[in-house]
């Protein structure tokens, strides 16, 4: 007790040793273990009041003309120690005694936990977990839900002047990340306030913070829906038929058509029955049944639509980080709306033009194209037929060109090359990994499939990095499941073990292949493996 009072006096009189004194106080609080300072609850209340003083916590933590790098780093450590100490105090004094100080420090701790500075965020989250364990005997979610009214009130007040309270966006992100669906009504009002604030042109400096809030909100909505990106359902593509099988099926269809051609009476009878059944069904159905089939739109769906429409306004920004945030928001939002087709398709239509420009603008960086392709793949999996035609005309040529142009950049880049750390390499991996599924989702036909194979064939070279070769092989196998003959033909044009195809029967003419048959070809190993897999 005496030592702590002495340290508090030093804290006021020796500002140059602030961090060291805070660290000592934290050690003393943690030394006795849980409930070790229960009899000194009044002293702990005093410590809490000191720790949350603006002179200690409201210090500059970013480099500016008035703050050096060393000062900023020192301030980050200081605020992290304050957050850590508050968490230790809650354990030392017990939840019942600390509850009187909880509301005074909870907002500050959540602000630390949501900080973009990693050391401060870790310290803040650890402190919030300690407070939750002491006060509610659970985790962060239980603590937030127990105090949601208090947090909603303070967040709403600070959002009205978000330019003077930028930390409120960090608090809101943490609150949404650690809440349950029971507090969704409270979050609706808050997100609506953020939407209003984001329309203020004077809030430009907080735009990225607003977007992070939108992203967290949509991520929470999707989590509450019980879906995840890895669990998205994909229709199993039907295996392709050989040319012989197609011809036999065509012959069977002709025979069936000939048998039915003379049976006009049967056809008339069938048509009459269909007409009668449809007429009776229409008489039985009440006129209001159509209205009853309309789904009742959830408020969360309407709010998600509003968030997506607002986020689209930020996509043309020249700020790369802002573009990436918007693309991530759109990806999450589309997944939230995937079961609400009436709202999904209009949003997809609005997304399309800005999205296409991300692939066509020459100044677009690989990381932005990467996130744009992730969004495109999500659209392909959810909207399918709605975007098929425009994808083939407006986007697929650009994607194929990116693959072709970047193939020369990755040649001879072994595992020790710094190239594998670049965004362009990661983009190559993403395109090779995702183009096959995108083509299957959109039911792309032979002409465009061949374009994809031509764009990817350079990655079958043994001079390409091994991961790119493996992904390219996977792309070929994926497409061969549906278009086996086309893939075989394209592979044979790259490399073939023979220069001519000779049928055992003399009735068929000899076919000469315009291809490479060299045993030293850089494509031989991968192409031969794929040909064996297709023939098998």
């Amino acid at each position: 007790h005496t030592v702590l009072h002495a340290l508090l006096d030093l804290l006021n009189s020796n500002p140059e040793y602030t961090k060291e004194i805070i660290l000592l106080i934290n050690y003393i609080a943690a030394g006795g273990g849980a409930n070790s300072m229960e009899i000194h609850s009044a002293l702990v209340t005093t410590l809490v009041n000191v720790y949350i003083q603006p002179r200690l916590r409201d210090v500059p933590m970013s480099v500016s003309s008035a703050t050096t790098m060393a000062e900023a780093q020192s301030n980050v450590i200081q605020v992290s120690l304050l957050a850590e100490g508050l968490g230790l105090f809650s354990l030392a004094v017990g939840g019942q005694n600390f509850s009187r100080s909880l509301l005074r420090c909870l907002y500050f701790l959540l602000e630390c936990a949501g900080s973009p500075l990693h050391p401060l965020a870790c310290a803040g989250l650890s402190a919030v977990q300690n407070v939750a364990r002491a006060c509610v005997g659970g985790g962060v979610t239980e603590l937030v839900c127990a105090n949601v009214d208090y947090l909603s009130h303070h967040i709403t007040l600070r959002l009205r002047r978000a330019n003077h309270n930028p930390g409120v966006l960090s608090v809101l992100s943490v609150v949404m990340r650690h809440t349950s669906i029971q507090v969704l009504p409270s979050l609706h009002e808050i997100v609506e306030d953020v939407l209003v604030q984001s329309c203020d042109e004077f809030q430009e400096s907080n735009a990225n913070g607003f977007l992070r809030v939108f992203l967290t909100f949509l991520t929470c909505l999707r989590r509450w829906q019980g879906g995840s990106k890895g669990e998205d359902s994909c229709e199993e593509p039907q295996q392709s038929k050989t040319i012989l099988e197609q011809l036999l099926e065509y012959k069977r269809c002709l025979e069936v058509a000939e048998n039915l051609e003379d049976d006009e009476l049967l056809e008339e009878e069938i048509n009459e029955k269909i007409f009668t059944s449809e007429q009776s069904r229409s008489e039985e159905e009440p006129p209001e049944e159509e209205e009853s089939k309309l789904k009742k739109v959830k408020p969360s769906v309407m709010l998600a639509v509003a968030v997506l429409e607002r986020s689209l306004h930020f996509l043309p920004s020249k700020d790369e980080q802002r573009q990436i945030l918007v693309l991530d928001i759109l990806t999450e939002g589309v997944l939230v709306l995937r079961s609400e087709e009436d709202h999904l398709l209009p949003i997809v239509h609005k997304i399309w033009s800005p999205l296409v420009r991300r692939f066509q603008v020459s100044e677009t960086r690989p990381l932005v194209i990467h996130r744009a392709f992730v969004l495109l793949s999500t659209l392909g999996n959810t909207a399918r037929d709605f975007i098929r035609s425009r994808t083939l005309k407006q986007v697929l040529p650009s994607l194929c060109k990116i693959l072709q142009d970047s193939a020369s950049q990755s040649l001879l880049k072994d595992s020790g090359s710094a190239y594998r750390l670049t965004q362009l390499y990661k983009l190559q991996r993403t395109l090779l990994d995702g183009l096959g599924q995108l083509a299957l989702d959109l039911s792309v036909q032979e002409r465009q499939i061949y374009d994809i194979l031509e764009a990817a064939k350079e990655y079958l070279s043994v001079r390409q990095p091994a991961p790119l070769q493996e992904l390219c092989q996977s792309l070929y196998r994926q497409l061969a499941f549906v278009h086996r003959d086309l893939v075989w033909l394209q592979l044979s044009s790259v490399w073939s073990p023979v220069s001519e195809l000779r049928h055992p029967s003399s009735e068929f003419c000899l076919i000469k292949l315009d291809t490479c048959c060299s045993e030293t070809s850089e494509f031989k190993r991968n192409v031969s493996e794929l040909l064996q897999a297709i023939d098998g």
Side-chain angles (χ1 to χ4, degrees):
H1 192 283
T2 305
V3 173
L4 288 174
H5 274 294
L7 289 173
L8 286 177
D9 291 337
L10 289 173
L11 190 61
N12 293 324
S13 58
N14 296 276
E16 65 273 17
Y17 298 114
T18 297
K19 297 191 300 296
E20 291 81 356
I21 295 171
I22 294 173
L23 180 61
L24 288 174
I25 294 174
N26 292 352
Y27 277 154
I28 293 172
N35 301 320
S36 60
M37 297 182 67
E38 191 170 358
I39 60 174
H40 302 302
S41 59
L43 176 59
V44 170
T45 302
T46 302
L47 289 172
V48 170
N49 292 335
V50 171
Y51 270 41
I52 62 176
Q53 286 179 357
R55 71 178 183 88
L56 292 178
R57 66 174 191 174
D58 295 341
V59 289
M61 290 181 284
S62 57
V63 179
S64 64
S65 57
T67 308
T68 64
M69 174 70 77
E71 290 172 340
Q73 291 174 340
S74 176
N75 290 336
V76 170
I77 295 172
Q78 177 177 309
V79 179
S80 299
L81 289 171
L82 291 173
E84 179 187 52
L86 292 170
L88 294 173
F89 296 158
S90 67
L91 294 175
V93 78
Q96 187 174 358
N97 292 317
F98 191 79
S99 60
R100 289 171 289 185
S101 304
L102 174 61
L103 297 184
R104 288 201 294 274
C105 64
L106 180 57
Y107 187 90
F108 165 65
L109 291 177
L110 290 172
E111 190 173 356
C112 293
S115 172
L117 301 171
H118 184 68
L120 182 56
C122 290
L125 184 58
S126 176
V128 174
Q129 290 170 342
N130 287 336
V131 171
R133 191 158 62 249
C135 294
V136 297
V140 180
T141 299
E142 288 76 14
L143 179 66
V144 170
C145 291
N147 297 276
V148 68
D149 292 335
Y150 162 81
L151 293 171
S152 299
H153 173 71
H154 282 273
I155 289 172
T156 303
L157 287 179
R158 285 171 170 79
L159 275 175
R160 291 169 186 167
R161 300 189 67 190
N163 54 330
H164 297 294
N165 299 283
V168 68
L169 302 174
S170 300
V171 174
L172 182 53
S173 295
V174 176
V175 169
M176 288 195 295
R177 200 177 301 127
H178 294 281
T179 50
S180 61
I181 196 169
Q182 285 75 22
V183 300
L184 188 58
S186 300
L187 288 182
H188 273 207
E189 183 179 348
I190 295 174
V191 175
E192 286 170 355
D193 280 344
V194 177
L195 280 169
V196 173
Q197 293 292 325
S198 67
C199 296
D200 189 348
E201 61 182 10
F202 297 106
Q203 298 276 15
E204 176 67 20
S205 59
N206 291 322
N208 285 5
F210 293 138
L211 293 173
R212 278 193 288 271
V213 170
F214 294 154
L215 178 59
T216 306
F217 173 68
L218 292 173
T219 303
C220 289
L221 275 184
R222 195 159 69 86
R223 186 180 75 237
W224 293 332
Q225 287 178 347
S228 66
K229 202 170 292 185
E231 296 171 357
D232 294 340
S233 59
C234 296
E235 293 182 4
E236 188 72 21
Q238 295 184 352
Q239 190 168 4
S240 63
K241 297 179 179 179
T242 64
I243 294 176
L244 179 59
E245 290 171 337
Q246 293 176 21
L247 290 173
L248 290 173
E249 183 177 358
Y250 177 69
K251 182 176 181 296
R252 283 195 298 270
C253 290
L254 287 178
E255 291 174 352
V256 172
E258 289 175 359
N259 293 333
L260 293 176
E261 204 170 48
D262 299 329
D263 203 352
E264 295 179 359
L265 292 176
L266 178 61
E267 185 177 353
E268 290 179 4
E269 184 180 348
I270 292 172
N271 290 337
E272 185 177 351
K273 287 182 178 179
I274 293 174
F275 176 76
T276 305
S277 63
E278 287 181 351
Q279 188 174 19
S280 61
R281 191 184 303 116
S282 62
E283 291 175 356
E284 292 173 1
E285 287 185 355
E288 62 272 6
E289 185 172 343
E290 185 177 350
E291 296 180 6
S292 65
K293 292 180 181 179
L294 295 175
K295 293 182 179 179
K296 185 178 179 181
V297 181
K298 299 177 183 177
S300 58
V301 171
M302 298 307 299
L303 189 55
V305 170
V307 165
L308 293 177
E309 290 178 341
R310 180 61 194 147
S311 300
L312 273 172
H313 288 82
F314 295 97
L315 190 54
S317 170
K318 294 182 180 180
D319 185 343
E320 181 180 358
Q321 185 62 34
R322 190 168 299 175
Q323 290 187 53
I324 292 170
L325 273 172
V326 174
L327 291 169
D328 289 345
I329 289 169
L330 297 175
T331 302
E332 290 291 334
V334 167
L335 291 171
V336 168
L337 298 177
R338 67 180 307 155
S339 59
E340 304 285 342
E341 190 175 89
D342 292 341
H343 299 282
L344 172 66
L345 298 185
I347 282 293
V348 172
H349 180 70
K350 293 178 181 180
I351 289 173
W352 188 257
S353 293
L355 175 62
V356 169
R357 284 195 285 272
R358 304 283 79 76
F359 297 107
Q360 295 176 343
V361 177
S362 58
E363 295 82 9
T364 304
R365 297 187 178 182
L367 183 56
V368 176
I369 299 176
H370 182 173
R371 299 301 176 89
F373 180 73
V374 173
L375 173 57
L376 177 67
S377 300
T378 305
L379 294 178
N381 184 254
T382 52
R384 295 185 184 257
D385 296 345
F386 188 71
I387 67 166
R388 178 189 293 119
S389 176
R390 54 182 103 183
T391 299
L392 300 182
K393 292 178 182 178
Q394 300 175 332
V395 179
L396 189 59
S398 298
L399 295 176
C400 292
K401 186 175 186 303
I402 292 170
L403 265 184
Q404 287 175 319
D405 294 346
S406 60
S408 59
Q409 302 290 324
S410 54
L411 280 176
L412 300 176
K413 298 297 190 296
D414 57 23
S415 57
S417 172
Y419 178 77
R420 296 200 182 192
L421 303 177
T422 64
Q423 292 298 335
L424 182 58
Y425 174 73
K426 295 175 183 177
L427 175 60
Q428 289 173 306
R429 294 195 58 166
T430 301
L431 292 178
L432 290 171
D433 188 40
L435 268 175
Q437 187 59 51
L438 178 64
L440 297 180
D441 286 339
L442 298 181
S443 301
V444 175
Q445 298 304 308
E446 284 83 354
R447 179 179 177 181
Q448 289 78 24
I449 293 292
Y450 195 82
D451 292 339
I452 294 174
L453 295 174
E454 281 293 302
K457 70 180 181 181
E458 294 298 326
Y459 297 92
L460 292 175
S461 168
V462 293
R463 299 196 298 161
Q464 293 284 351
L468 297 184
Q469 295 180 50
E470 293 171 4
L471 288 171
C472 187
Q473 279 207 25
S474 177
L475 170 65
Y476 270 78
R477 286 192 175 96
Q478 205 170 13
L479 295 178
F481 188 78
V482 179
H483 301 279
R484 183 168 55 182
D485 295 329
L486 179 64
V487 173
W488 177 89
L489 181 63
Q490 198 275 339
L491 284 172
S492 298
S493 70
V494 177
W495 181 88
S496 176
V498 294
S499 60
E500 57 186 25
L501 299 177
R502 187 185 300 275
H503 196 274
S505 173
S506 58
E507 295 180 5
F508 292 90
C509 61
L510 182 70
I511 300 176
K512 292 188 176 181
L513 298 176
D514 184 15
T515 185
C516 173
C517 300
S518 172
E519 291 295 318
T520 59
S521 171
E522 61 188 281
F523 298 100
K524 177 194 171 184
R525 189 183 71 188
N526 289 311
V527 172
S528 60
E529 289 178 6
L530 287 171
L531 288 174
Q532 289 175 5
I534 292 174
D535 292 337

